[in-house]
Amino acid sequence: MVPPSHTAPPFVRLAAHPLRWQLLTALARSDLRVRELVSLLAQPQNLVSYHLRLLRDGGLVTATRSSFDGRDSYYHLDLDSCAHALAGTGAALHPALQLGSTPPAPPVHPPRTVLFVCTGNSARSPIAEAQLRRLTAGHVQVTSAGTRPRPQLHPHAVRVLRDHFGVDVASRHPRHLDTLTGRRFDYVITLCDKAREVCPDFGNPAGQLHWSIPDPDPAAAGTRDDYPAFLQVAADIDTRVRHLLPVLATDPQETKP
């Protein structure tokens, strides 16, 4: 007989703390800044920052500098890391509790409506739109727009979707967010820190989410042409979209914090 372990798995030790659990559940919904977490959880900033550091050290949370204000950072919950940690936690208790892969979420009726927003609508939001449409086979009504749309899609965005995901968006053109005035969406997801600051209210605060994803366009970032940046962004968006699927299968009212 194997003797019982006297040490809980790392995920249990991290997630069991009430404040850290609140941080995890808040970040599971949207990327947030420290001051937003402080306000949401009604806790001192030094305490929130301390527990965020523990979650970062544990590999569950990451932070990226805001492209809107470089003095700020957005915190993001790495759901893949959480899934692996949970799988290891179950297996540590009993082999039968090893978690398997999660099947795609079933379609719901009426179909959910999702809007992805970035600044130029030339890379991030079109990639997200294409990925969600691909993974839901048309069972979600999805569109994307930009606060300052560019004349055309970035060729690297077109290439990465074609070569790595089998999606052809070559004929698509960026659209301005103003063209959607008066529309209502179940979820409005900003993928750009700058766009988040100016994105209008589409009438459903519970469905407003933010994914803090850096702009892969070298012209915008002031760096050299670098196709791998688009590959990395597309992979990040693909992961986030896959984790969005079960959310879309629930009542939007259930996602309120």
Side-chain angles (χ1 to χ4, degrees), residues 49-122:
S49 296
Y50 168 73
H51 287 288
L52 280 172
R53 179 175 61 80
L54 294 180
L55 292 173
R56 291 181 67 185
D57 291 346
L60 302 182
V61 169
T62 60
T64 58
R65 287 288 180 187
S66 168
S67 60
F68 175 75
D69 184 348
R71 297 167 298 180
D72 244 335
S73 292
Y74 276 96
Y75 287 84
H76 166 64
L77 181 63
D78 188 332
L79 287 171
D80 276 347
S81 292
C82 288
H84 294 148
L86 279 170
T89 298
L93 184 61
H94 191 281
L97 299 181
Q98 176 73 41
L99 298 180
S101 59
T102 304
V108 294
H109 300 283
R112 297 286 179 253
T113 54
V114 178
L115 168 64
F116 291 107
V117 181
C118 67
T119 299
N121 194 220
S122 63

Side-chain angles (χ1 to χ4, degrees), residues 230-242:
F230 284 79
L231 289 174
Q232 182 176 347
V233 162
D236 184 8
I237 292 174
D238 180 58
T239 297
R240 290 176 185 254
V241 168
R242 285 189 290 105

